[in-house]
Amino acid sequence: MQSRTMLAAAVLFAGVTVAAAQDPIAERKAAMKANGDQARIGAQMARGEMPFDLAKAQAIFQTYADSATKTKGLFPETTQTGGDTAADPRIWQNMSDFQAKLAKFGQDAAEAKGKVKDEASFKATFSEVQKSCGGCHETYRLKKS
């Protein structure tokens, strides 16, 4: 019986340690970096600086959709400052609008993945999804000086 209690305590402690180790600011920065990396690839394909690749195009939109889903829970009140965050305090003042923009970005990215069949459809679709991504940045991202 004592070993079960110790095992339960160890599992509980491990869970608390994992929860405490999570860093929402670092996680959302990593997600945004992944988006930025994919956006660069998309921009290069859209400008003809890189050959169009359907698999890469699909990966771009999948990364965006995954990021939108993942980051929606990464803006708790406790992360308004610290961690060299670029998140504008207006996020927490208007969380419903922020979450709506994030959801639209995710939906646009998921829909784009199904629409892209060739270079022409990629160029049109990529541009529209980038506008959705930028809509959040314009309102809710601090500008670096």
Side-chain angles (χ1 to χ4, degrees):
M1 185 68 165
Q2 186 177 14
S3 63
R4 284 186 183 169
T5 305
M6 289 178 65
L7 177 61
V11 169
L12 179 61
F13 177 74
V16 169
T17 302
V18 169
Q22 292 178 340
D23 180 352
I25 294 173
E27 289 181 45
R28 67 188 186 221
K29 286 173 75 172
M32 297 303 161
K33 182 183 180 326
N35 284 350
D37 292 346
Q38 293 299 313
R40 277 185 284 289
I41 292 168
Q44 289 173 337
M45 283 196 301
R47 290 189 302 255
E49 297 168 1
M50 174 187 291
F52 173 75
D53 181 319
L54 183 58
K56 286 181 182 179
Q58 297 293 320
I60 291 166
F61 297 126
Q62 187 63 55
T63 298
Y64 288 175
D66 291 346
S67 174
T69 299
K70 180 180 181 179
T71 58
K72 69 180 175 183
L74 296 178
F75 290 87
E77 289 280 335
T78 57
T79 64
Q80 291 187 43
T81 60
D84 192 31
T85 184
D88 192 295
R90 292 180 286 181
I91 290 172
W92 293 272
Q93 295 164 2
N94 199 355
M95 184 60 77
S96 61
D97 181 62
F98 173 73
Q99 291 289 344
K101 286 183 186 302
L102 196 56
K104 181 179 180 340
F105 172 60
Q107 181 178 355
D108 289 351
E111 289 174 2
K113 190 175 174 194
K115 290 179 183 176
V116 173
K117 305 295 181 210
D118 56 24
E119 186 173 8
S121 61
F122 172 75
K123 287 180 179 182
T125 306
F126 180 72
S127 174
E128 289 304 309
V129 175
Q130 288 303 104
K131 288 178 189 174
S132 182
C133 181
C136 233
H137 285 191
E138 291 302 313
T139 307
Y140 295 115
R141 182 178 178 195
L142 292 174
K143 309 293 187 255
K144 293 189 178 190
S145 33

